[in-house]
Amino acid sequence: MSEILDLAGIFVFALSGALMGVRKRLDVVGMGVLAGMTALGGGVVRDLILNVRPIAFQSLGYVLVPVVATVIVFFWHPHVARVMPAILVLDAAGLGLFCAVGTEKALEYGLNPLHAALLGVVTAVGGGMLRDVLAGEIPTLLYDRQLYAVPAMLGSACMAGLYAGLGLHGWPATLAAAVLAFVLRIAAMRRNWRAPLARGLSE
């Protein structure tokens, strides 16, 4: 079940990466690179930091899912763009899932709660940051005007607190942290919440 949810999150992230390729007028190779980076980049960085073989290189599905997403966007990108509001909801779910799972994996490998939470954030937003850099955009992590990284930070902190502070492991803790990040991300989209700029700067 966890792998299915993982692959679902990867698929949604890959769609957003491939759509970025369309907006940047990249060819199918560029679309595939952005899809793969968005979907797998955060998890690969996390696993390399933990000094373990990235899970993306242990299962064929983790490679095939971004390819499938790229093909779908290549042929039907106008239709995919039209259902973008639904994709953003799924993206928020993927954000919550990845920050919780990334934090838990880091804790299981012996990192302290603070470092584990930071690595959870990397898992959730690292792929999007790589996508933005390759596409010539300001990374969301550095310009969090839509509260994307903030929900991941709070979800990761929740996971670290439940795991290390209360001793809650497994799916109950993962679900609680993922739901927190998901709800905050959806609320930010619905209510147009923004992270503040430096004092004196206009919106």
Side-chain angles (χ1 to χ4, degrees):
M1 184 63 180
S2 61
E3 184 173 351
I4 293 175
L5 292 174
D6 215 17
L7 292 175
I10 286 171
F11 179 72
V12 174
F13 282 2
L15 286 177
S16 70
L19 282 172
M20 173 72 81
V22 173
R23 290 196 293 272
K24 291 293 183 176
R25 301 185 64 81
L26 302 182
D27 60 24
V28 66
V29 176
M31 290 170 57
V33 170
L34 290 186
M37 284 293 181
T38 309
L40 305 174
V44 169
V45 171
R46 174 203 64 209
D47 290 343
L48 291 176
I49 291 174
L50 293 176
N51 199 28
V52 298
R53 186 171 65 174
I55 192 170
F57 296 97
Q58 299 181 43
S59 172
L60 189 60
Y62 285 81
V63 177
L64 291 180
V65 167
V67 172
V68 171
T70 301
V71 171
I72 290 173
V73 173
F74 181 82
F75 285 106
W76 299 289
H77 60 88
H79 305 288
V80 176
R82 276 199 293 270
V83 298
M84 198 61 195
I87 292 175
L88 287 175
V89 172
L90 295 174
D91 181 85
L95 179 79
L97 176 66
F98 281 20
C99 74
V101 170
T103 303
E104 183 175 32
K105 185 170 184 178
L107 289 165
E108 290 172 349
Y109 275 83
L111 268 66
N112 64 51
L114 175 59
H115 289 150
L118 291 175
L119 206 49
V121 175
V122 169
T123 306
V125 307
M129 186 167 65
L130 292 173
R131 174 202 63 208
D132 293 342
V133 169
L134 288 174
E137 298 284 333
I138 299 176
T140 304
L141 189 65
L142 304 181
Y143 189 64
D144 199 7
R145 303 297 292 135
Q146 294 184 335
L147 288 192
Y148 196 79
V150 170
M153 292 176 186
L154 294 176
S156 296
C158 175
M159 182 71 223
L162 292 174
Y163 189 105
L166 300 178
L168 294 178
H169 301 178
W171 71 264
T174 302
L175 180 63
V179 168
L180 173 63
F182 172 77
V183 169
L184 288 173
R185 173 62 179 151
I186 293 297
M189 290 192 296
R190 295 285 175 86
R191 298 178 178 274
N192 204 34
W193 290 343
R194 296 289 185 266
L197 296 174
R199 183 180 179 185
L201 294 180
S202 59
E203 289 289 337

